[in-house]
Amino acid sequence: MVDTINAARTTLKQCSSDLLNHANVVATGVGYKVTNNKRTDTPCIICSVEKKLNALQLTSNDMIPAEIDHVVTDVVETGVIRAHQAPTERFRPAPGGISVGHKDITAGTLGCWVRKNNQWMMLSNNHVLANSNLASVGDAILQPGPHDGGSNPDDQIAVLDDFIPINLTGLPSECNIAGSITGFLNSLAGIVRSSTRLQAVTIQAEDNLVDAAIARPLNEDDVKADILNIGPIQGQSSAQLGMAIKKMGRTTGLTEGEVLQVDVTVNVQYGALQIAQFKDQIMAGAMSAGGDSGSAVLDEKDNIVGLLFAGSEQTTIINRIEHVFSALDLTL
Amino acid sequence: MKHIIGILLLLMGSLNQANAVENMQANIEEVKNRHEAQLLSLPGVISVGIGLDDNKQAIIVVGISSDNEELKARLPQRLEGHRVSVEYIGKVRAQ
């Protein structure tokens, strides 16, 4: 009996390639023998197999010997080992939760596949699929997005079909003169007890409910209605305060959070110079980063409740899926 | 007879009070909607929403972009009876 791990490693070096030629073996390594579900102190050579078979199902050549050069062996079932595909890679068919983008942007997330007029549509944000209002219907949508190496036309997966324009305005003015004028006017408003106060803004803000767009696949074979690392969407639900939620996104992958605020009116910055006010939004704690925009947000039972589009280091801002589906006339 | 009428009046009074409390809590969305434009006009205020406090009571939550004591001091602690909580959330950007 060999009692050191190092001796087992030396033996494994000599027999590893032979063991990997046995039918069913997917990996070899050194560890401690497990007997009756308990780890013992006996070093051993572990053969991971796709499926554990009994002696009758194997030829004698494919049987793993109980000992090799006095080192005991163990056989564990691990199934097929696959390389995890990163959400930034190219997928065909393409599930939700992976990199996508209009040809002129960096990259965002393909939220999920939805139906419109009996046709599959990819759902994400306007600022992901329609370049923040600047795109034209019919423009190329790439998977992965351009920042992740997607090129046009090789990686084109869809064409922009429709989007809800975002009412964008200039940022609050940092102009000192405008600031002084509004300050003066606001102090006057204080004197006359008016509850209205002014802020120097380049253009008057208008309300938005969604940052949403859909794209039509070039080939329906490229549609995978699941969400990566989550599975199929079970239905649709309405976000409530305290609800546990999750999303799969291009940048931070699968993350979980909780609905901390509802009925949120929030000012969201687009690029360096523009801002848009959104009403009736859902706010969660930090569960996303740049590139996760467009992620479908699901509850614990895998019902879709929202479309993620913005955030800060402390928060995540999510459109209600009710508003997204009604604005673009979509169903699951 | 007088006593009975007195008790009935007392009962009706307390029922009305209970209704008043219920109505006040049901209106937190309205109160938020009435005040949010003014709150959002203050430089540094980024969001106004409805959240829960530690006792699971609905409160109005004001999100601010910088941890600015002067701004915090300007924000109300209550609006029409509803508690207001001020939270630092930083700048919110499209992601």
Side-chain angles (χ1 to χ4, degrees), chain A residues 195 199 260-267 269 279 288 291 293 309-312 314, chain B residues 29 32 36 38 40-41 46-52 61 89 91-95:
Chain A
S195 63
Q199 187 179 5
L260 298 179
Q261 288 181 46
V262 293
D263 221 343
V264 177
T265 302
V266 58
N267 290 331
Q269 202 170 319
K279 288 208 165 187
S288 64
S293 267
F309 79 108
S312 68
Q314 279 72 27
Chain B
E29 289 87 0
K32 188 214 72 139
E36 71 179 13
Q38 192 197 344
L40 284 162
S41 74
I46 293 291
S47 70
V48 182
I50 294 172
L52 294 175
V61 187
I89 61 167
K91 280 212 167 107
V92 175
R93 297 171 200 277
Q95 293 186 325

PDB file of all heavy atoms in Angstrom, chain A residues 195 199 260-267 269 279 288 291 293 309-312 314, chain B residues 29 32 36 38 40-41 46-52 61 89 91-95:
ATOM      1  N   SER A 195     -44.099  75.649  -4.986  1.00  0.00           N
ATOM      2  CA  SER A 195     -43.401  74.381  -4.730  1.00  0.00           C
ATOM      3  C   SER A 195     -42.560  73.977  -5.942  1.00  0.00           C
ATOM      4  O   SER A 195     -41.811  73.023  -5.908  1.00  0.00           O
ATOM      5  CB  SER A 195     -44.411  73.275  -4.412  1.00  0.00           C
ATOM      6  OG  SER A 195     -45.241  73.071  -5.525  1.00  0.00           O
ATOM      7  N   GLN A 199     -34.486  73.694 -12.828  1.00  0.00           N
ATOM      8  CA  GLN A 199     -33.126  73.190 -12.961  1.00  0.00           C
ATOM      9  C   GLN A 199     -32.679  73.510 -14.374  1.00  0.00           C
ATOM     10  O   GLN A 199     -33.466  73.412 -15.319  1.00  0.00           O
ATOM     11  CB  GLN A 199     -33.111  71.675 -12.727  1.00  0.00           C
ATOM     12  CG  GLN A 199     -31.714  71.112 -12.680  1.00  0.00           C
ATOM     13  CD  GLN A 199     -31.734  69.606 -12.421  1.00  0.00           C
ATOM     14  OE1 GLN A 199     -32.784  68.985 -12.368  1.00  0.00           O
ATOM     15  NE2 GLN A 199     -30.565  69.036 -12.289  1.00  0.00           N
ATOM     16  N   LEU A 260     -35.838  45.856  -4.601  1.00  0.00           N
ATOM     17  CA  LEU A 260     -35.738  46.742  -3.435  1.00  0.00           C
ATOM     18  C   LEU A 260     -36.704  47.908  -3.528  1.00  0.00           C
ATOM     19  O   LEU A 260     -37.126  48.456  -2.512  1.00  0.00           O
ATOM     20  CB  LEU A 260     -34.310  47.292  -3.305  1.00  0.00           C
ATOM     21  CG  LEU A 260     -33.208  46.262  -3.073  1.00  0.00           C
ATOM     22  CD1 LEU A 260     -31.861  46.953  -2.981  1.00  0.00           C
ATOM     23  CD2 LEU A 260     -33.487  45.459  -1.805  1.00  0.00           C
ATOM     24  N   GLN A 261     -37.020  48.333  -4.769  1.00  0.00           N
ATOM     25  CA  GLN A 261     -37.965  49.442  -4.953  1.00  0.00           C
ATOM     26  C   GLN A 261     -38.816  49.172  -6.188  1.00  0.00           C
ATOM     27  O   GLN A 261     -38.334  48.590  -7.162  1.00  0.00           O
ATOM     28  CB  GLN A 261     -37.236  50.773  -5.155  1.00  0.00           C
ATOM     29  CG  GLN A 261     -36.568  51.333  -3.924  1.00  0.00           C
ATOM     30  CD  GLN A 261     -35.900  52.675  -4.222  1.00  0.00           C
ATOM     31  OE1 GLN A 261     -36.475  53.555  -4.849  1.00  0.00           O
ATOM     32  NE2 GLN A 261     -34.657  52.811  -3.789  1.00  0.00           N
ATOM     33  N   VAL A 262     -40.067  49.633  -6.132  1.00  0.00           N
ATOM     34  CA  VAL A 262     -40.927  49.614  -7.321  1.00  0.00           C
ATOM     35  C   VAL A 262     -41.434  51.034  -7.540  1.00  0.00           C
ATOM     36  O   VAL A 262     -41.182  51.917  -6.717  1.00  0.00           O
ATOM     37  CB  VAL A 262     -42.129  48.650  -7.153  1.00  0.00           C
ATOM     38  CG1 VAL A 262     -41.658  47.207  -7.087  1.00  0.00           C
ATOM     39  CG2 VAL A 262     -42.957  49.017  -5.928  1.00  0.00           C
ATOM     40  N   ASP A 263     -42.129  51.241  -8.681  1.00  0.00           N
ATOM     41  CA  ASP A 263     -42.705  52.559  -8.945  1.00  0.00           C
ATOM     42  C   ASP A 263     -41.605  53.625  -8.994  1.00  0.00           C
ATOM     43  O   ASP A 263     -41.810  54.760  -8.588  1.00  0.00           O
ATOM     44  CB  ASP A 263     -43.701  52.891  -7.805  1.00  0.00           C
ATOM     45  CG  ASP A 263     -44.952  53.536  -8.334  1.00  0.00           C
ATOM     46  OD1 ASP A 263     -44.934  54.023  -9.474  1.00  0.00           O
ATOM     47  OD2 ASP A 263     -45.955  53.566  -7.597  1.00  0.00           O
ATOM     48  N   VAL A 264     -40.432  53.229  -9.469  1.00  0.00           N
ATOM     49  CA  VAL A 264     -39.261  54.116  -9.415  1.00  0.00           C
ATOM     50  C   VAL A 264     -39.250  55.045 -10.628  1.00  0.00           C
ATOM     51  O   VAL A 264     -39.415  54.601 -11.762  1.00  0.00           O
ATOM     52  CB  VAL A 264     -37.955  53.294  -9.390  1.00  0.00           C
ATOM     53  CG1 VAL A 264     -36.736  54.214  -9.397  1.00  0.00           C
ATOM     54  CG2 VAL A 264     -37.923  52.361  -8.198  1.00  0.00           C
ATOM     55  N   THR A 265     -39.075  56.327 -10.366  1.00  0.00           N
ATOM     56  CA  THR A 265     -38.789  57.299 -11.421  1.00  0.00           C
ATOM     57  C   THR A 265     -37.300  57.600 -11.307  1.00  0.00           C
ATOM     58  O   THR A 265     -36.813  57.904 -10.221  1.00  0.00           O
ATOM     59  CB  THR A 265     -39.617  58.580 -11.214  1.00  0.00           C
ATOM     60  OG1 THR A 265     -40.995  58.230 -11.209  1.00  0.00           O
ATOM     61  CG2 THR A 265     -39.342  59.581 -12.325  1.00  0.00           C
ATOM     62  N   VAL A 266     -36.567  57.461 -12.411  1.00  0.00           N
ATOM     63  CA  VAL A 266     -35.108  57.546 -12.307  1.00  0.00           C
ATOM     64  C   VAL A 266     -34.514  58.234 -13.535  1.00  0.00           C
ATOM     65  O   VAL A 266     -34.992  58.056 -14.655  1.00  0.00           O
ATOM     66  CB  VAL A 266     -34.505  56.133 -12.104  1.00  0.00           C
ATOM     67  CG1 VAL A 266     -34.871  55.183 -13.225  1.00  0.00           C
ATOM     68  CG2 VAL A 266     -32.993  56.170 -11.919  1.00  0.00           C
ATOM     69  N   ASN A 267     -33.477  59.034 -13.299  1.00  0.00           N
ATOM     70  CA  ASN A 267     -32.749  59.688 -14.387  1.00  0.00           C
ATOM     71  C   ASN A 267     -31.543  58.832 -14.765  1.00  0.00           C
ATOM     72  O   ASN A 267     -30.680  58.566 -13.935  1.00  0.00           O
ATOM     73  CB  ASN A 267     -32.266  61.072 -13.950  1.00  0.00           C
ATOM     74  CG  ASN A 267     -33.428  62.038 -13.792  1.00  0.00           C
ATOM     75  OD1 ASN A 267     -34.449  61.903 -14.471  1.00  0.00           O
ATOM     76  ND2 ASN A 267     -33.293  62.987 -12.888  1.00  0.00           N
ATOM     77  N   GLN A 269     -28.273  58.084 -17.307  1.00  0.00           N
ATOM     78  CA  GLN A 269     -27.338  58.728 -18.226  1.00  0.00           C
ATOM     79  C   GLN A 269     -27.045  57.815 -19.411  1.00  0.00           C
ATOM     80  O   GLN A 269     -26.773  56.624 -19.238  1.00  0.00           O
ATOM     81  CB  GLN A 269     -26.049  59.035 -17.466  1.00  0.00           C
ATOM     82  CG  GLN A 269     -25.240  60.129 -18.107  1.00  0.00           C
ATOM     83  CD  GLN A 269     -24.100  60.579 -17.212  1.00  0.00           C
ATOM     84  OE1 GLN A 269     -24.262  60.715 -16.001  1.00  0.00           O
ATOM     85  NE2 GLN A 269     -22.943  60.782 -17.809  1.00  0.00           N
ATOM     86  N   LYS A 279     -40.062  56.083 -15.926  1.00  0.00           N
ATOM     87  CA  LYS A 279     -41.044  55.947 -14.842  1.00  0.00           C
ATOM     88  C   LYS A 279     -41.431  54.480 -14.667  1.00  0.00           C
ATOM     89  O   LYS A 279     -41.261  53.679 -15.581  1.00  0.00           O
ATOM     90  CB  LYS A 279     -42.295  56.758 -15.175  1.00  0.00           C
ATOM     91  CG  LYS A 279     -42.046  58.249 -15.055  1.00  0.00           C
ATOM     92  CD  LYS A 279     -43.320  59.000 -14.703  1.00  0.00           C
ATOM     93  CE  LYS A 279     -42.928  60.398 -14.235  1.00  0.00           C
ATOM     94  NZ  LYS A 279     -44.014  61.173 -13.730  1.00  0.00           N
ATOM     95  N   SER A 288     -25.362  43.731 -11.851  1.00  0.00           N
ATOM     96  CA  SER A 288     -25.048  43.845 -13.275  1.00  0.00           C
ATOM     97  C   SER A 288     -23.913  44.834 -13.496  1.00  0.00           C
ATOM     98  O   SER A 288     -23.522  45.555 -12.585  1.00  0.00           O
ATOM     99  CB  SER A 288     -26.286  44.319 -14.032  1.00  0.00           C
ATOM    100  OG  SER A 288     -26.628  45.622 -13.608  1.00  0.00           O
ATOM    101  N   GLY A 291     -22.647  46.008 -20.372  1.00  0.00           N
ATOM    102  CA  GLY A 291     -22.677  44.828 -21.234  1.00  0.00           C
ATOM    103  C   GLY A 291     -23.775  43.852 -20.848  1.00  0.00           C
ATOM    104  O   GLY A 291     -24.138  42.966 -21.620  1.00  0.00           O
ATOM    105  N   SER A 293     -26.768  44.900 -20.210  1.00  0.00           N
ATOM    106  CA  SER A 293     -28.011  45.501 -20.687  1.00  0.00           C
ATOM    107  C   SER A 293     -28.733  44.582 -21.647  1.00  0.00           C
ATOM    108  O   SER A 293     -28.112  44.031 -22.560  1.00  0.00           O
ATOM    109  CB  SER A 293     -27.719  46.810 -21.415  1.00  0.00           C
ATOM    110  OG  SER A 293     -27.809  47.872 -20.529  1.00  0.00           O
ATOM    111  N   PHE A 309     -31.678  47.258 -17.964  1.00  0.00           N
ATOM    112  CA  PHE A 309     -31.107  48.207 -18.931  1.00  0.00           C
ATOM    113  C   PHE A 309     -30.112  49.195 -18.360  1.00  0.00           C
ATOM    114  O   PHE A 309     -29.384  49.840 -19.121  1.00  0.00           O
ATOM    115  CB  PHE A 309     -32.215  48.960 -19.678  1.00  0.00           C
ATOM    116  CG  PHE A 309     -32.826  50.095 -18.888  1.00  0.00           C
ATOM    117  CD1 PHE A 309     -32.569  51.410 -19.229  1.00  0.00           C
ATOM    118  CD2 PHE A 309     -33.671  49.836 -17.828  1.00  0.00           C
ATOM    119  CE1 PHE A 309     -33.129  52.464 -18.508  1.00  0.00           C
ATOM    120  CE2 PHE A 309     -34.241  50.882 -17.106  1.00  0.00           C
ATOM    121  CZ  PHE A 309     -33.974  52.191 -17.444  1.00  0.00           C
ATOM    122  N   ALA A 310     -30.055  49.363 -17.046  1.00  0.00           N
ATOM    123  CA  ALA A 310     -29.166  50.398 -16.497  1.00  0.00           C
ATOM    124  C   ALA A 310     -28.779  50.046 -15.071  1.00  0.00           C
ATOM    125  O   ALA A 310     -29.339  49.135 -14.465  1.00  0.00           O
ATOM    126  CB  ALA A 310     -29.863  51.759 -16.526  1.00  0.00           C
ATOM    127  N   GLY A 311     -27.816  50.800 -14.537  1.00  0.00           N
ATOM    128  CA  GLY A 311     -27.426  50.566 -13.156  1.00  0.00           C
ATOM    129  C   GLY A 311     -26.285  51.455 -12.734  1.00  0.00           C
ATOM    130  O   GLY A 311     -25.703  52.176 -13.548  1.00  0.00           O
ATOM    131  N   SER A 312     -25.992  51.416 -11.441  1.00  0.00           N
ATOM    132  CA  SER A 312     -24.825  52.097 -10.885  1.00  0.00           C
ATOM    133  C   SER A 312     -24.067  51.036 -10.101  1.00  0.00           C
ATOM    134  O   SER A 312     -24.421  49.863 -10.158  1.00  0.00           O
ATOM    135  CB  SER A 312     -25.273  53.214  -9.943  1.00  0.00           C
ATOM    136  OG  SER A 312     -25.876  52.671  -8.777  1.00  0.00           O
ATOM    137  N   GLN A 314     -24.261  50.643  -7.096  1.00  0.00           N
ATOM    138  CA  GLN A 314     -25.125  50.209  -5.989  1.00  0.00           C
ATOM    139  C   GLN A 314     -26.443  49.596  -6.450  1.00  0.00           C
ATOM    140  O   GLN A 314     -27.104  48.907  -5.675  1.00  0.00           O
ATOM    141  CB  GLN A 314     -25.456  51.404  -5.081  1.00  0.00           C
ATOM    142  CG  GLN A 314     -24.384  51.759  -4.073  1.00  0.00           C
ATOM    143  CD  GLN A 314     -23.172  52.405  -4.719  1.00  0.00           C
ATOM    144  OE1 GLN A 314     -23.285  53.032  -5.759  1.00  0.00           O
ATOM    145  NE2 GLN A 314     -22.025  52.239  -4.121  1.00  0.00           N
TER     146      GLN A 314
ATOM    147  N   GLU B  29     -48.296  55.769  -3.222  1.00  0.00           N
ATOM    148  CA  GLU B  29     -47.954  56.006  -4.635  1.00  0.00           C
ATOM    149  C   GLU B  29     -48.349  57.429  -5.049  1.00  0.00           C
ATOM    150  O   GLU B  29     -47.599  58.114  -5.724  1.00  0.00           O
ATOM    151  CB  GLU B  29     -48.643  54.990  -5.565  1.00  0.00           C
ATOM    152  CG  GLU B  29     -48.095  53.578  -5.490  1.00  0.00           C
ATOM    153  CD  GLU B  29     -48.750  52.739  -4.412  1.00  0.00           C
ATOM    154  OE1 GLU B  29     -49.652  53.266  -3.693  1.00  0.00           O
ATOM    155  OE2 GLU B  29     -48.365  51.567  -4.249  1.00  0.00           O
ATOM    156  N   LYS B  32     -46.009  59.922  -3.490  1.00  0.00           N
ATOM    157  CA  LYS B  32     -44.739  59.897  -4.236  1.00  0.00           C
ATOM    158  C   LYS B  32     -44.891  60.641  -5.562  1.00  0.00           C
ATOM    159  O   LYS B  32     -44.063  61.463  -5.930  1.00  0.00           O
ATOM    160  CB  LYS B  32     -44.309  58.448  -4.477  1.00  0.00           C
ATOM    161  CG  LYS B  32     -42.919  58.314  -5.060  1.00  0.00           C
ATOM    162  CD  LYS B  32     -42.805  57.144  -6.003  1.00  0.00           C
ATOM    163  CE  LYS B  32     -43.534  57.409  -7.274  1.00  0.00           C
ATOM    164  NZ  LYS B  32     -42.911  56.987  -8.500  1.00  0.00           N
ATOM    165  N   GLU B  36     -42.557  63.828  -6.622  1.00  0.00           N
ATOM    166  CA  GLU B  36     -41.302  63.377  -7.241  1.00  0.00           C
ATOM    167  C   GLU B  36     -40.687  64.407  -8.190  1.00  0.00           C
ATOM    168  O   GLU B  36     -39.462  64.523  -8.260  1.00  0.00           O
ATOM    169  CB  GLU B  36     -41.467  62.020  -7.928  1.00  0.00           C
ATOM    170  CG  GLU B  36     -42.294  62.056  -9.185  1.00  0.00           C
ATOM    171  CD  GLU B  36     -42.399  60.675  -9.815  1.00  0.00           C
ATOM    172  OE1 GLU B  36     -42.045  59.682  -9.169  1.00  0.00           O
ATOM    173  OE2 GLU B  36     -42.844  60.609 -10.966  1.00  0.00           O
ATOM    174  N   GLN B  38     -40.626  67.591  -7.953  1.00  0.00           N
ATOM    175  CA  GLN B  38     -39.875  68.581  -7.173  1.00  0.00           C
ATOM    176  C   GLN B  38     -38.589  67.960  -6.612  1.00  0.00           C
ATOM    177  O   GLN B  38     -37.522  68.571  -6.658  1.00  0.00           O
ATOM    178  CB  GLN B  38     -40.732  69.115  -6.035  1.00  0.00           C
ATOM    179  CG  GLN B  38     -40.098  70.336  -5.390  1.00  0.00           C
ATOM    180  CD  GLN B  38     -40.685  70.658  -4.033  1.00  0.00           C
ATOM    181  OE1 GLN B  38     -41.761  70.165  -3.678  1.00  0.00           O
ATOM    182  NE2 GLN B  38     -39.980  71.462  -3.286  1.00  0.00           N
ATOM    183  N   LEU B  40     -36.896  65.437  -7.838  1.00  0.00           N
ATOM    184  CA  LEU B  40     -35.941  65.163  -8.919  1.00  0.00           C
ATOM    185  C   LEU B  40     -35.349  66.443  -9.506  1.00  0.00           C
ATOM    186  O   LEU B  40     -34.349  66.391 -10.218  1.00  0.00           O
ATOM    187  CB  LEU B  40     -36.613  64.336 -10.021  1.00  0.00           C
ATOM    188  CG  LEU B  40     -36.791  62.854  -9.674  1.00  0.00           C
ATOM    189  CD1 LEU B  40     -37.828  62.201 -10.572  1.00  0.00           C
ATOM    190  CD2 LEU B  40     -35.464  62.097  -9.778  1.00  0.00           C
ATOM    191  N   SER B  41     -35.973  67.589  -9.213  1.00  0.00           N
ATOM    192  CA  SER B  41     -35.408  68.845  -9.730  1.00  0.00           C
ATOM    193  C   SER B  41     -34.220  69.300  -8.889  1.00  0.00           C
ATOM    194  O   SER B  41     -33.461  70.165  -9.292  1.00  0.00           O
ATOM    195  CB  SER B  41     -36.479  69.930  -9.761  1.00  0.00           C
ATOM    196  OG  SER B  41     -36.751  70.377  -8.449  1.00  0.00           O
ATOM    197  N   ILE B  46     -31.416  61.446  -8.029  1.00  0.00           N
ATOM    198  CA  ILE B  46     -31.408  60.607  -9.230  1.00  0.00           C
ATOM    199  C   ILE B  46     -32.695  59.808  -9.369  1.00  0.00           C
ATOM    200  O   ILE B  46     -33.161  59.546 -10.462  1.00  0.00           O
ATOM    201  CB  ILE B  46     -30.206  59.610  -9.147  1.00  0.00           C
ATOM    202  CG1 ILE B  46     -28.890  60.371  -9.235  1.00  0.00           C
ATOM    203  CG2 ILE B  46     -30.280  58.535 -10.205  1.00  0.00           C
ATOM    204  CD1 ILE B  46     -28.619  60.978 -10.592  1.00  0.00           C
ATOM    205  N   SER B  47     -33.260  59.395  -8.235  1.00  0.00           N
ATOM    206  CA  SER B  47     -34.438  58.525  -8.321  1.00  0.00           C
ATOM    207  C   SER B  47     -35.372  58.745  -7.145  1.00  0.00           C
ATOM    208  O   SER B  47     -34.954  59.196  -6.075  1.00  0.00           O
ATOM    209  CB  SER B  47     -34.009  57.055  -8.369  1.00  0.00           C
ATOM    210  OG  SER B  47     -33.483  56.672  -7.105  1.00  0.00           O
ATOM    211  N   VAL B  48     -36.649  58.426  -7.384  1.00  0.00           N
ATOM    212  CA  VAL B  48     -37.640  58.396  -6.302  1.00  0.00           C
ATOM    213  C   VAL B  48     -38.474  57.138  -6.517  1.00  0.00           C
ATOM    214  O   VAL B  48     -38.969  56.911  -7.622  1.00  0.00           O
ATOM    215  CB  VAL B  48     -38.561  59.643  -6.331  1.00  0.00           C
ATOM    216  CG1 VAL B  48     -39.538  59.597  -5.171  1.00  0.00           C
ATOM    217  CG2 VAL B  48     -37.746  60.927  -6.279  1.00  0.00           C
ATOM    218  N   GLY B  49     -38.581  56.311  -5.488  1.00  0.00           N
ATOM    219  CA  GLY B  49     -39.339  55.070  -5.633  1.00  0.00           C
ATOM    220  C   GLY B  49     -39.967  54.666  -4.323  1.00  0.00           C
ATOM    221  O   GLY B  49     -39.899  55.394  -3.326  1.00  0.00           O
ATOM    222  N   ILE B  50     -40.600  53.492  -4.330  1.00  0.00           N
ATOM    223  CA  ILE B  50     -41.226  52.973  -3.113  1.00  0.00           C
ATOM    224  C   ILE B  50     -40.523  51.690  -2.690  1.00  0.00           C
ATOM    225  O   ILE B  50     -40.381  50.759  -3.502  1.00  0.00           O
ATOM    226  CB  ILE B  50     -42.731  52.744  -3.329  1.00  0.00           C
ATOM    227  CG1 ILE B  50     -43.393  54.110  -3.548  1.00  0.00           C
ATOM    228  CG2 ILE B  50     -43.356  52.014  -2.134  1.00  0.00           C
ATOM    229  CD1 ILE B  50     -44.819  54.055  -3.952  1.00  0.00           C
ATOM    230  N   GLY B  51     -40.047  51.674  -1.463  1.00  0.00           N
ATOM    231  CA  GLY B  51     -39.348  50.503  -0.938  1.00  0.00           C
ATOM    232  C   GLY B  51     -39.949  50.081   0.388  1.00  0.00           C
ATOM    233  O   GLY B  51     -41.036  50.529   0.757  1.00  0.00           O
ATOM    234  N   LEU B  52     -39.261  49.202   1.093  1.00  0.00           N
ATOM    235  CA  LEU B  52     -39.729  48.727   2.396  1.00  0.00           C
ATOM    236  C   LEU B  52     -38.688  49.060   3.458  1.00  0.00           C
ATOM    237  O   LEU B  52     -37.488  48.963   3.190  1.00  0.00           O
ATOM    238  CB  LEU B  52     -39.925  47.205   2.368  1.00  0.00           C
ATOM    239  CG  LEU B  52     -41.020  46.643   1.453  1.00  0.00           C
ATOM    240  CD1 LEU B  52     -40.985  45.113   1.470  1.00  0.00           C
ATOM    241  CD2 LEU B  52     -42.398  47.140   1.890  1.00  0.00           C
ATOM    242  N   VAL B  61     -38.395  56.191  -1.132  1.00  0.00           N
ATOM    243  CA  VAL B  61     -36.933  56.160  -1.126  1.00  0.00           C
ATOM    244  C   VAL B  61     -36.399  57.145  -2.169  1.00  0.00           C
ATOM    245  O   VAL B  61     -36.768  57.072  -3.342  1.00  0.00           O
ATOM    246  CB  VAL B  61     -36.381  54.753  -1.427  1.00  0.00           C
ATOM    247  CG1 VAL B  61     -34.870  54.726  -1.252  1.00  0.00           C
ATOM    248  CG2 VAL B  61     -37.037  53.708  -0.531  1.00  0.00           C
ATOM    249  N   ILE B  89     -26.990  56.133  -4.277  1.00  0.00           N
ATOM    250  CA  ILE B  89     -26.988  55.089  -5.316  1.00  0.00           C
ATOM    251  C   ILE B  89     -25.966  55.365  -6.412  1.00  0.00           C
ATOM    252  O   ILE B  89     -25.750  54.546  -7.282  1.00  0.00           O
ATOM    253  CB  ILE B  89     -28.391  54.908  -5.960  1.00  0.00           C
ATOM    254  CG1 ILE B  89     -28.857  56.184  -6.638  1.00  0.00           C
ATOM    255  CG2 ILE B  89     -29.400  54.422  -4.953  1.00  0.00           C
ATOM    256  CD1 ILE B  89     -30.057  55.952  -7.545  1.00  0.00           C
ATOM    257  N   LYS B  91     -24.220  57.427  -9.757  1.00  0.00           N
ATOM    258  CA  LYS B  91     -24.789  57.793 -11.068  1.00  0.00           C
ATOM    259  C   LYS B  91     -25.317  56.551 -11.759  1.00  0.00           C
ATOM    260  O   LYS B  91     -24.627  55.536 -11.840  1.00  0.00           O
ATOM    261  CB  LYS B  91     -23.697  58.425 -11.939  1.00  0.00           C
ATOM    262  CG  LYS B  91     -23.457  59.885 -11.587  1.00  0.00           C
ATOM    263  CD  LYS B  91     -23.029  60.692 -12.823  1.00  0.00           C
ATOM    264  CE  LYS B  91     -23.108  62.172 -12.529  1.00  0.00           C
ATOM    265  NZ  LYS B  91     -21.797  62.785 -12.365  1.00  0.00           N
ATOM    266  N   VAL B  92     -26.542  56.623 -12.271  1.00  0.00           N
ATOM    267  CA  VAL B  92     -27.138  55.482 -12.973  1.00  0.00           C
ATOM    268  C   VAL B  92     -26.902  55.664 -14.463  1.00  0.00           C
ATOM    269  O   VAL B  92     -27.243  56.689 -15.037  1.00  0.00           O
ATOM    270  CB  VAL B  92     -28.649  55.391 -12.664  1.00  0.00           C
ATOM    271  CG1 VAL B  92     -29.278  54.286 -13.490  1.00  0.00           C
ATOM    272  CG2 VAL B  92     -28.867  55.117 -11.180  1.00  0.00           C
ATOM    273  N   ARG B  93     -26.273  54.662 -15.064  1.00  0.00           N
ATOM    274  CA  ARG B  93     -25.973  54.723 -16.500  1.00  0.00           C
ATOM    275  C   ARG B  93     -26.604  53.552 -17.242  1.00  0.00           C
ATOM    276  O   ARG B  93     -26.742  52.472 -16.679  1.00  0.00           O
ATOM    277  CB  ARG B  93     -24.448  54.630 -16.726  1.00  0.00           C
ATOM    278  CG  ARG B  93     -23.672  55.765 -16.132  1.00  0.00           C
ATOM    279  CD  ARG B  93     -22.177  55.472 -16.207  1.00  0.00           C
ATOM    280  NE  ARG B  93     -21.444  56.278 -15.259  1.00  0.00           N
ATOM    281  CZ  ARG B  93     -21.072  57.532 -15.481  1.00  0.00           C
ATOM    282  NH1 ARG B  93     -21.338  58.109 -16.627  1.00  0.00           N
ATOM    283  NH2 ARG B  93     -20.422  58.208 -14.551  1.00  0.00           N
ATOM    284  N   ALA B  94     -26.928  53.800 -18.513  1.00  0.00           N
ATOM    285  CA  ALA B  94     -27.348  52.700 -19.377  1.00  0.00           C
ATOM    286  C   ALA B  94     -26.173  51.726 -19.458  1.00  0.00           C
ATOM    287  O   ALA B  94     -25.023  52.152 -19.577  1.00  0.00           O
ATOM    288  CB  ALA B  94     -27.705  53.228 -20.760  1.00  0.00           C
ATOM    289  N   GLN B  95     -26.473  50.422 -19.360  1.00  0.00           N
ATOM    290  CA  GLN B  95     -25.373  49.457 -19.322  1.00  0.00           C
ATOM    291  C   GLN B  95     -25.283  48.691 -20.619  1.00  0.00           C
ATOM    292  O   GLN B  95     -24.451  47.862 -20.800  1.00  0.00           O
ATOM    293  CB  GLN B  95     -25.563  48.489 -18.146  1.00  0.00           C
ATOM    294  CG  GLN B  95     -25.413  49.191 -16.818  1.00  0.00           C
ATOM    295  CD  GLN B  95     -25.453  48.254 -15.637  1.00  0.00           C
ATOM    296  OE1 GLN B  95     -26.171  47.261 -15.654  1.00  0.00           O
ATOM    297  NE2 GLN B  95     -24.711  48.569 -14.608  1.00  0.00           N
TER     298      GLN B  95
END
